[in-house]
Amino acid sequence: RGNFRCTDQSVGVANQLQHLASIIQVLDPKLHDHLETLGGGDYLFAFRMFMVLFRREVSFGDSLYLWEMMWALEYDPDIFFAACEEASGAHKKVSKSKLRGVRHFAKWDKDKDVSEETDGPVPISVFMVASVLKEKREKLLQEARGLDDLIRILNDVNGNLDAKKACAGALKLHKKYLKLVQAKKT
């Protein structure tokens, strides 16, 4: 639904593309500069990933898992950690400190007045695209000499993305991003 929402600041998916650009700029300035040099600084190459929520990048079964996880994370970030622990056989309770950084995804947060936010929280899908870029980083830096190369490299992901690994990677990048942004503020 966010892909089609219009605000005074942005139109639909453009907001996510802007978030992706600023996240990559903070997390990996070298990759961001390279993408800008190639003419991909507007991150339009990620448009399809946002519009179809990674359906072409993962198998059908993984897309169901991924969509359920992304939508559930909007409301309760504990769900991902509980699913990871259940899959690994560990049944201990998730500590609240692990969840602090992830709370940024939640649509409802009793500590925040949602009306104060103009854009709302950054969806997990933005960090998922960032994790795909991180995974393909070396190839992008070494082989991409233009937008065609960039798109070819990212199209190699089609059908081969591990949804659980990408989701875990997205959460790690989110945590790292929050740390870097906090460090810049202090």
Side-chain angles (χ1 to χ4, degrees), residues 29-58:
K30 183 176 180 181
L31 178 60
H32 177 75
D33 291 345
H34 184 64
L35 293 173
E36 280 201 339
T37 301
L38 298 176
D42 53 10
Y43 288 75
L44 284 175
F45 56 82
F47 182 83
R48 186 193 73 233
M49 288 185 217
F50 289 129
M51 293 305 291
V52 297
L53 289 176
F54 304 93
R55 177 56 196 103
R56 290 185 62 189
E57 286 73 29
V58 298

PDB file of all heavy atoms in Angstrom, residues 29-58:
ATOM      1  N   PRO A  29      29.356   4.102   1.640  1.00  0.00           N
ATOM      2  CA  PRO A  29      29.543   5.270   0.767  1.00  0.00           C
ATOM      3  C   PRO A  29      30.256   4.943  -0.549  1.00  0.00           C
ATOM      4  O   PRO A  29      29.942   5.523  -1.582  1.00  0.00           O
ATOM      5  CB  PRO A  29      30.388   6.231   1.610  1.00  0.00           C
ATOM      6  CG  PRO A  29      30.282   5.747   3.011  1.00  0.00           C
ATOM      7  CD  PRO A  29      29.948   4.292   2.959  1.00  0.00           C
ATOM      8  N   LYS A  30      31.178   3.989  -0.517  1.00  0.00           N
ATOM      9  CA  LYS A  30      31.900   3.616  -1.732  1.00  0.00           C
ATOM     10  C   LYS A  30      30.947   3.024  -2.774  1.00  0.00           C
ATOM     11  O   LYS A  30      31.000   3.388  -3.946  1.00  0.00           O
ATOM     12  CB  LYS A  30      33.010   2.621  -1.409  1.00  0.00           C
ATOM     13  CG  LYS A  30      33.862   2.237  -2.595  1.00  0.00           C
ATOM     14  CD  LYS A  30      34.999   1.322  -2.198  1.00  0.00           C
ATOM     15  CE  LYS A  30      35.839   0.950  -3.405  1.00  0.00           C
ATOM     16  NZ  LYS A  30      36.937   0.053  -3.044  1.00  0.00           N
ATOM     17  N   LEU A  31      30.074   2.139  -2.347  1.00  0.00           N
ATOM     18  CA  LEU A  31      29.094   1.548  -3.263  1.00  0.00           C
ATOM     19  C   LEU A  31      28.122   2.622  -3.757  1.00  0.00           C
ATOM     20  O   LEU A  31      27.807   2.677  -4.954  1.00  0.00           O
ATOM     21  CB  LEU A  31      28.326   0.405  -2.583  1.00  0.00           C
ATOM     22  CG  LEU A  31      27.249  -0.262  -3.429  1.00  0.00           C
ATOM     23  CD1 LEU A  31      27.836  -0.888  -4.698  1.00  0.00           C
ATOM     24  CD2 LEU A  31      26.504  -1.308  -2.610  1.00  0.00           C
ATOM     25  N   HIS A  32      27.668   3.472  -2.867  1.00  0.00           N
ATOM     26  CA  HIS A  32      26.751   4.552  -3.258  1.00  0.00           C
ATOM     27  C   HIS A  32      27.397   5.444  -4.321  1.00  0.00           C
ATOM     28  O   HIS A  32      26.761   5.764  -5.342  1.00  0.00           O
ATOM     29  CB  HIS A  32      26.352   5.381  -2.037  1.00  0.00           C
ATOM     30  CG  HIS A  32      25.481   6.545  -2.375  1.00  0.00           C
ATOM     31  ND1 HIS A  32      24.139   6.399  -2.686  1.00  0.00           N
ATOM     32  CD2 HIS A  32      25.749   7.870  -2.473  1.00  0.00           C
ATOM     33  CE1 HIS A  32      23.631   7.587  -2.955  1.00  0.00           C
ATOM     34  NE2 HIS A  32      24.582   8.498  -2.825  1.00  0.00           N
ATOM     35  N   ASP A  33      28.643   5.838  -4.112  1.00  0.00           N
ATOM     36  CA  ASP A  33      29.335   6.683  -5.087  1.00  0.00           C
ATOM     37  C   ASP A  33      29.474   5.972  -6.428  1.00  0.00           C
ATOM     38  O   ASP A  33      29.315   6.583  -7.491  1.00  0.00           O
ATOM     39  CB  ASP A  33      30.720   7.086  -4.565  1.00  0.00           C
ATOM     40  CG  ASP A  33      30.635   8.056  -3.394  1.00  0.00           C
ATOM     41  OD1 ASP A  33      29.549   8.635  -3.169  1.00  0.00           O
ATOM     42  OD2 ASP A  33      31.664   8.213  -2.686  1.00  0.00           O
ATOM     43  N   HIS A  34      29.774   4.667  -6.385  1.00  0.00           N
ATOM     44  CA  HIS A  34      29.909   3.893  -7.619  1.00  0.00           C
ATOM     45  C   HIS A  34      28.574   3.840  -8.369  1.00  0.00           C
ATOM     46  O   HIS A  34      28.538   4.025  -9.595  1.00  0.00           O
ATOM     47  CB  HIS A  34      30.407   2.476  -7.308  1.00  0.00           C
ATOM     48  CG  HIS A  34      30.654   1.644  -8.520  1.00  0.00           C
ATOM     49  ND1 HIS A  34      31.621   1.952  -9.459  1.00  0.00           N
ATOM     50  CD2 HIS A  34      30.040   0.526  -8.960  1.00  0.00           C
ATOM     51  CE1 HIS A  34      31.601   1.041 -10.423  1.00  0.00           C
ATOM     52  NE2 HIS A  34      30.644   0.158 -10.140  1.00  0.00           N
ATOM     53  N   LEU A  35      27.492   3.618  -7.631  1.00  0.00           N
ATOM     54  CA  LEU A  35      26.169   3.575  -8.263  1.00  0.00           C
ATOM     55  C   LEU A  35      25.817   4.934  -8.873  1.00  0.00           C
ATOM     56  O   LEU A  35      25.242   4.995  -9.969  1.00  0.00           O
ATOM     57  CB  LEU A  35      25.107   3.146  -7.256  1.00  0.00           C
ATOM     58  CG  LEU A  35      25.219   1.707  -6.743  1.00  0.00           C
ATOM     59  CD1 LEU A  35      24.214   1.447  -5.631  1.00  0.00           C
ATOM     60  CD2 LEU A  35      25.062   0.706  -7.869  1.00  0.00           C
ATOM     61  N   GLU A  36      26.175   6.007  -8.201  1.00  0.00           N
ATOM     62  CA  GLU A  36      25.934   7.344  -8.753  1.00  0.00           C
ATOM     63  C   GLU A  36      26.760   7.568 -10.018  1.00  0.00           C
ATOM     64  O   GLU A  36      26.272   8.146 -10.980  1.00  0.00           O
ATOM     65  CB  GLU A  36      26.240   8.415  -7.713  1.00  0.00           C
ATOM     66  CG  GLU A  36      25.115   8.597  -6.730  1.00  0.00           C
ATOM     67  CD  GLU A  36      25.169   9.955  -6.038  1.00  0.00           C
ATOM     68  OE1 GLU A  36      26.238  10.588  -5.992  1.00  0.00           O
ATOM     69  OE2 GLU A  36      24.115  10.355  -5.538  1.00  0.00           O
ATOM     70  N   THR A  37      28.007   7.117 -10.008  1.00  0.00           N
ATOM     71  CA  THR A  37      28.870   7.253 -11.184  1.00  0.00           C
ATOM     72  C   THR A  37      28.275   6.519 -12.382  1.00  0.00           C
ATOM     73  O   THR A  37      28.371   6.990 -13.514  1.00  0.00           O
ATOM     74  CB  THR A  37      30.281   6.693 -10.882  1.00  0.00           C
ATOM     75  OG1 THR A  37      30.814   7.415  -9.775  1.00  0.00           O
ATOM     76  CG2 THR A  37      31.207   6.826 -12.075  1.00  0.00           C
ATOM     77  N   LEU A  38      27.623   5.373 -12.109  1.00  0.00           N
ATOM     78  CA  LEU A  38      27.007   4.582 -13.181  1.00  0.00           C
ATOM     79  C   LEU A  38      25.694   5.184 -13.668  1.00  0.00           C
ATOM     80  O   LEU A  38      25.122   4.729 -14.649  1.00  0.00           O
ATOM     81  CB  LEU A  38      26.731   3.151 -12.697  1.00  0.00           C
ATOM     82  CG  LEU A  38      27.931   2.315 -12.287  1.00  0.00           C
ATOM     83  CD1 LEU A  38      27.472   0.974 -11.738  1.00  0.00           C
ATOM     84  CD2 LEU A  38      28.885   2.127 -13.448  1.00  0.00           C
ATOM     85  N   GLY A  39      25.203   6.200 -12.963  1.00  0.00           N
ATOM     86  CA  GLY A  39      23.921   6.794 -13.312  1.00  0.00           C
ATOM     87  C   GLY A  39      22.760   6.149 -12.577  1.00  0.00           C
ATOM     88  O   GLY A  39      21.599   6.362 -12.927  1.00  0.00           O
ATOM     89  N   GLY A  40      23.063   5.362 -11.564  1.00  0.00           N
ATOM     90  CA  GLY A  40      22.021   4.678 -10.798  1.00  0.00           C
ATOM     91  C   GLY A  40      21.780   5.283  -9.439  1.00  0.00           C
ATOM     92  O   GLY A  40      21.207   4.637  -8.563  1.00  0.00           O
ATOM     93  N   GLY A  41      22.184   6.531  -9.236  1.00  0.00           N
ATOM     94  CA  GLY A  41      22.042   7.187  -7.942  1.00  0.00           C
ATOM     95  C   GLY A  41      20.606   7.419  -7.513  1.00  0.00           C
ATOM     96  O   GLY A  41      20.339   7.658  -6.342  1.00  0.00           O
ATOM     97  N   ASP A  42      19.671   7.323  -8.472  1.00  0.00           N
ATOM     98  CA  ASP A  42      18.260   7.461  -8.116  1.00  0.00           C
ATOM     99  C   ASP A  42      17.667   6.115  -7.681  1.00  0.00           C
ATOM    100  O   ASP A  42      16.525   6.053  -7.247  1.00  0.00           O
ATOM    101  CB  ASP A  42      17.463   8.041  -9.279  1.00  0.00           C
ATOM    102  CG  ASP A  42      17.670   7.254 -10.563  1.00  0.00           C
ATOM    103  OD1 ASP A  42      18.276   6.155 -10.541  1.00  0.00           O
ATOM    104  OD2 ASP A  42      17.227   7.740 -11.620  1.00  0.00           O
ATOM    105  N   TYR A  43      18.449   5.040  -7.833  1.00  0.00           N
ATOM    106  CA  TYR A  43      18.101   3.684  -7.386  1.00  0.00           C
ATOM    107  C   TYR A  43      16.846   3.135  -8.068  1.00  0.00           C
ATOM    108  O   TYR A  43      16.183   2.253  -7.528  1.00  0.00           O
ATOM    109  CB  TYR A  43      17.974   3.631  -5.862  1.00  0.00           C
ATOM    110  CG  TYR A  43      19.328   3.732  -5.176  1.00  0.00           C
ATOM    111  CD1 TYR A  43      19.999   4.943  -5.109  1.00  0.00           C
ATOM    112  CD2 TYR A  43      19.931   2.618  -4.616  1.00  0.00           C
ATOM    113  CE1 TYR A  43      21.240   5.041  -4.512  1.00  0.00           C
ATOM    114  CE2 TYR A  43      21.174   2.698  -4.010  1.00  0.00           C
ATOM    115  CZ  TYR A  43      21.828   3.914  -3.960  1.00  0.00           C
ATOM    116  OH  TYR A  43      23.061   3.996  -3.364  1.00  0.00           O
ATOM    117  N   LEU A  44      16.549   3.603  -9.263  1.00  0.00           N
ATOM    118  CA  LEU A  44      15.392   3.092  -9.997  1.00  0.00           C
ATOM    119  C   LEU A  44      15.526   1.613 -10.340  1.00  0.00           C
ATOM    120  O   LEU A  44      14.529   0.941 -10.591  1.00  0.00           O
ATOM    121  CB  LEU A  44      15.150   3.910 -11.265  1.00  0.00           C
ATOM    122  CG  LEU A  44      14.506   5.270 -11.046  1.00  0.00           C
ATOM    123  CD1 LEU A  44      14.423   6.047 -12.351  1.00  0.00           C
ATOM    124  CD2 LEU A  44      13.137   5.133 -10.419  1.00  0.00           C
ATOM    125  N   PHE A  45      16.739   1.087 -10.339  1.00  0.00           N
ATOM    126  CA  PHE A  45      16.946  -0.336 -10.591  1.00  0.00           C
ATOM    127  C   PHE A  45      16.258  -1.205  -9.543  1.00  0.00           C
ATOM    128  O   PHE A  45      16.005  -2.382  -9.758  1.00  0.00           O
ATOM    129  CB  PHE A  45      18.441  -0.678 -10.658  1.00  0.00           C
ATOM    130  CG  PHE A  45      19.211  -0.277  -9.433  1.00  0.00           C
ATOM    131  CD1 PHE A  45      19.229  -1.073  -8.294  1.00  0.00           C
ATOM    132  CD2 PHE A  45      19.922   0.922  -9.420  1.00  0.00           C
ATOM    133  CE1 PHE A  45      19.937  -0.698  -7.172  1.00  0.00           C
ATOM    134  CE2 PHE A  45      20.636   1.300  -8.295  1.00  0.00           C
ATOM    135  CZ  PHE A  45      20.642   0.493  -7.158  1.00  0.00           C
ATOM    136  N   ALA A  46      15.921  -0.638  -8.381  1.00  0.00           N
ATOM    137  CA  ALA A  46      15.262  -1.382  -7.308  1.00  0.00           C
ATOM    138  C   ALA A  46      13.736  -1.257  -7.377  1.00  0.00           C
ATOM    139  O   ALA A  46      13.035  -1.881  -6.574  1.00  0.00           O
ATOM    140  CB  ALA A  46      15.753  -0.878  -5.954  1.00  0.00           C
ATOM    141  N   PHE A  47      13.235  -0.513  -8.334  1.00  0.00           N
ATOM    142  CA  PHE A  47      11.801  -0.245  -8.449  1.00  0.00           C
ATOM    143  C   PHE A  47      10.980  -1.536  -8.451  1.00  0.00           C
ATOM    144  O   PHE A  47      10.011  -1.677  -7.717  1.00  0.00           O
ATOM    145  CB  PHE A  47      11.546   0.568  -9.728  1.00  0.00           C
ATOM    146  CG  PHE A  47      10.113   0.962  -9.936  1.00  0.00           C
ATOM    147  CD1 PHE A  47       9.600   2.075  -9.301  1.00  0.00           C
ATOM    148  CD2 PHE A  47       9.292   0.227 -10.766  1.00  0.00           C
ATOM    149  CE1 PHE A  47       8.274   2.461  -9.490  1.00  0.00           C
ATOM    150  CE2 PHE A  47       7.974   0.598 -10.961  1.00  0.00           C
ATOM    151  CZ  PHE A  47       7.472   1.712 -10.321  1.00  0.00           C
ATOM    152  N   ARG A  48      11.366  -2.492  -9.293  1.00  0.00           N
ATOM    153  CA  ARG A  48      10.612  -3.738  -9.405  1.00  0.00           C
ATOM    154  C   ARG A  48      10.597  -4.513  -8.089  1.00  0.00           C
ATOM    155  O   ARG A  48       9.578  -5.065  -7.689  1.00  0.00           O
ATOM    156  CB  ARG A  48      11.168  -4.622 -10.519  1.00  0.00           C
ATOM    157  CG  ARG A  48      10.297  -5.857 -10.753  1.00  0.00           C
ATOM    158  CD  ARG A  48      10.941  -6.912 -11.619  1.00  0.00           C
ATOM    159  NE  ARG A  48      11.979  -7.571 -10.846  1.00  0.00           N
ATOM    160  CZ  ARG A  48      13.245  -7.719 -11.237  1.00  0.00           C
ATOM    161  NH1 ARG A  48      13.637  -7.252 -12.385  1.00  0.00           N
ATOM    162  NH2 ARG A  48      14.114  -8.317 -10.475  1.00  0.00           N
ATOM    163  N   MET A  49      11.736  -4.544  -7.386  1.00  0.00           N
ATOM    164  CA  MET A  49      11.793  -5.265  -6.112  1.00  0.00           C
ATOM    165  C   MET A  49      10.765  -4.709  -5.134  1.00  0.00           C
ATOM    166  O   MET A  49      10.116  -5.463  -4.411  1.00  0.00           O
ATOM    167  CB  MET A  49      13.191  -5.186  -5.505  1.00  0.00           C
ATOM    168  CG  MET A  49      14.224  -6.015  -6.211  1.00  0.00           C
ATOM    169  SD  MET A  49      15.790  -5.965  -5.317  1.00  0.00           S
ATOM    170  CE  MET A  49      16.935  -5.953  -6.662  1.00  0.00           C
ATOM    171  N   PHE A  50      10.618  -3.397  -5.113  1.00  0.00           N
ATOM    172  CA  PHE A  50       9.641  -2.779  -4.221  1.00  0.00           C
ATOM    173  C   PHE A  50       8.209  -3.025  -4.688  1.00  0.00           C
ATOM    174  O   PHE A  50       7.317  -3.288  -3.886  1.00  0.00           O
ATOM    175  CB  PHE A  50       9.863  -1.273  -4.095  1.00  0.00           C
ATOM    176  CG  PHE A  50      11.092  -0.916  -3.312  1.00  0.00           C
ATOM    177  CD1 PHE A  50      12.023  -0.039  -3.825  1.00  0.00           C
ATOM    178  CD2 PHE A  50      11.315  -1.449  -2.055  1.00  0.00           C
ATOM    179  CE1 PHE A  50      13.150   0.303  -3.102  1.00  0.00           C
ATOM    180  CE2 PHE A  50      12.442  -1.116  -1.320  1.00  0.00           C
ATOM    181  CZ  PHE A  50      13.364  -0.238  -1.848  1.00  0.00           C
ATOM    182  N   MET A  51       7.985  -2.948  -5.994  1.00  0.00           N
ATOM    183  CA  MET A  51       6.621  -3.060  -6.508  1.00  0.00           C
ATOM    184  C   MET A  51       6.051  -4.470  -6.381  1.00  0.00           C
ATOM    185  O   MET A  51       4.868  -4.630  -6.118  1.00  0.00           O
ATOM    186  CB  MET A  51       6.556  -2.595  -7.964  1.00  0.00           C
ATOM    187  CG  MET A  51       6.810  -1.100  -8.115  1.00  0.00           C
ATOM    188  SD  MET A  51       5.723  -0.055  -7.117  1.00  0.00           S
ATOM    189  CE  MET A  51       4.173  -0.298  -7.920  1.00  0.00           C
ATOM    190  N   VAL A  52       6.871  -5.493  -6.573  1.00  0.00           N
ATOM    191  CA  VAL A  52       6.374  -6.875  -6.489  1.00  0.00           C
ATOM    192  C   VAL A  52       6.886  -7.581  -5.233  1.00  0.00           C
ATOM    193  O   VAL A  52       6.735  -8.787  -5.090  1.00  0.00           O
ATOM    194  CB  VAL A  52       6.705  -7.691  -7.762  1.00  0.00           C
ATOM    195  CG1 VAL A  52       6.026  -7.095  -8.975  1.00  0.00           C
ATOM    196  CG2 VAL A  52       8.194  -7.836  -7.964  1.00  0.00           C
ATOM    197  N   LEU A  53       7.471  -6.817  -4.328  1.00  0.00           N
ATOM    198  CA  LEU A  53       7.963  -7.346  -3.049  1.00  0.00           C
ATOM    199  C   LEU A  53       8.772  -8.633  -3.205  1.00  0.00           C
ATOM    200  O   LEU A  53       8.475  -9.649  -2.593  1.00  0.00           O
ATOM    201  CB  LEU A  53       6.804  -7.543  -2.072  1.00  0.00           C
ATOM    202  CG  LEU A  53       6.194  -6.265  -1.532  1.00  0.00           C
ATOM    203  CD1 LEU A  53       5.005  -6.592  -0.648  1.00  0.00           C
ATOM    204  CD2 LEU A  53       7.206  -5.442  -0.775  1.00  0.00           C
ATOM    205  N   PHE A  54       9.770  -8.587  -4.094  1.00  0.00           N
ATOM    206  CA  PHE A  54      10.762  -9.654  -4.264  1.00  0.00           C
ATOM    207  C   PHE A  54      10.197 -10.941  -4.855  1.00  0.00           C
ATOM    208  O   PHE A  54      10.838 -11.982  -4.773  1.00  0.00           O
ATOM    209  CB  PHE A  54      11.471  -9.965  -2.938  1.00  0.00           C
ATOM    210  CG  PHE A  54      12.106  -8.765  -2.322  1.00  0.00           C
ATOM    211  CD1 PHE A  54      11.429  -8.003  -1.387  1.00  0.00           C
ATOM    212  CD2 PHE A  54      13.372  -8.367  -2.702  1.00  0.00           C
ATOM    213  CE1 PHE A  54      12.000  -6.880  -0.830  1.00  0.00           C
ATOM    214  CE2 PHE A  54      13.957  -7.243  -2.160  1.00  0.00           C
ATOM    215  CZ  PHE A  54      13.272  -6.495  -1.223  1.00  0.00           C
ATOM    216  N   ARG A  55       9.023 -10.899  -5.466  1.00  0.00           N
ATOM    217  CA  ARG A  55       8.432 -12.124  -6.005  1.00  0.00           C
ATOM    218  C   ARG A  55       9.310 -12.755  -7.080  1.00  0.00           C
ATOM    219  O   ARG A  55       9.365 -13.965  -7.207  1.00  0.00           O
ATOM    220  CB  ARG A  55       7.021 -11.835  -6.538  1.00  0.00           C
ATOM    221  CG  ARG A  55       6.331 -13.003  -7.177  1.00  0.00           C
ATOM    222  CD  ARG A  55       6.253 -14.213  -6.236  1.00  0.00           C
ATOM    223  NE  ARG A  55       5.944 -15.413  -6.976  1.00  0.00           N
ATOM    224  CZ  ARG A  55       6.815 -16.348  -7.301  1.00  0.00           C
ATOM    225  NH1 ARG A  55       8.073 -16.251  -6.956  1.00  0.00           N
ATOM    226  NH2 ARG A  55       6.454 -17.405  -7.979  1.00  0.00           N
ATOM    227  N   ARG A  56      10.011 -11.967  -7.866  1.00  0.00           N
ATOM    228  CA  ARG A  56      10.877 -12.526  -8.916  1.00  0.00           C
ATOM    229  C   ARG A  56      12.218 -12.965  -8.362  1.00  0.00           C
ATOM    230  O   ARG A  56      12.915 -13.746  -8.981  1.00  0.00           O
ATOM    231  CB  ARG A  56      11.078 -11.502 -10.028  1.00  0.00           C
ATOM    232  CG  ARG A  56       9.777 -11.313 -10.814  1.00  0.00           C
ATOM    233  CD  ARG A  56       9.930 -10.411 -11.982  1.00  0.00           C
ATOM    234  NE  ARG A  56      10.868 -10.932 -12.961  1.00  0.00           N
ATOM    235  CZ  ARG A  56      11.292 -10.223 -13.997  1.00  0.00           C
ATOM    236  NH1 ARG A  56      10.864  -8.998 -14.173  1.00  0.00           N
ATOM    237  NH2 ARG A  56      12.146 -10.738 -14.849  1.00  0.00           N
ATOM    238  N   GLU A  57      12.592 -12.476  -7.195  1.00  0.00           N
ATOM    239  CA  GLU A  57      13.904 -12.799  -6.633  1.00  0.00           C
ATOM    240  C   GLU A  57      13.893 -14.090  -5.809  1.00  0.00           C
ATOM    241  O   GLU A  57      14.936 -14.668  -5.565  1.00  0.00           O
ATOM    242  CB  GLU A  57      14.402 -11.647  -5.753  1.00  0.00           C
ATOM    243  CG  GLU A  57      14.878 -10.438  -6.519  1.00  0.00           C
ATOM    244  CD  GLU A  57      13.758  -9.623  -7.155  1.00  0.00           C
ATOM    245  OE1 GLU A  57      12.636  -9.596  -6.630  1.00  0.00           O
ATOM    246  OE2 GLU A  57      14.012  -9.021  -8.210  1.00  0.00           O
ATOM    247  N   VAL A  58      12.728 -14.519  -5.357  1.00  0.00           N
ATOM    248  CA  VAL A  58      12.638 -15.713  -4.507  1.00  0.00           C
ATOM    249  C   VAL A  58      11.649 -16.707  -5.102  1.00  0.00           C
ATOM    250  O   VAL A  58      10.820 -16.357  -5.948  1.00  0.00           O
ATOM    251  CB  VAL A  58      12.218 -15.355  -3.055  1.00  0.00           C
ATOM    252  CG1 VAL A  58      13.237 -14.450  -2.394  1.00  0.00           C
ATOM    253  CG2 VAL A  58      10.851 -14.721  -3.007  1.00  0.00           C
TER     254      VAL A  58
END
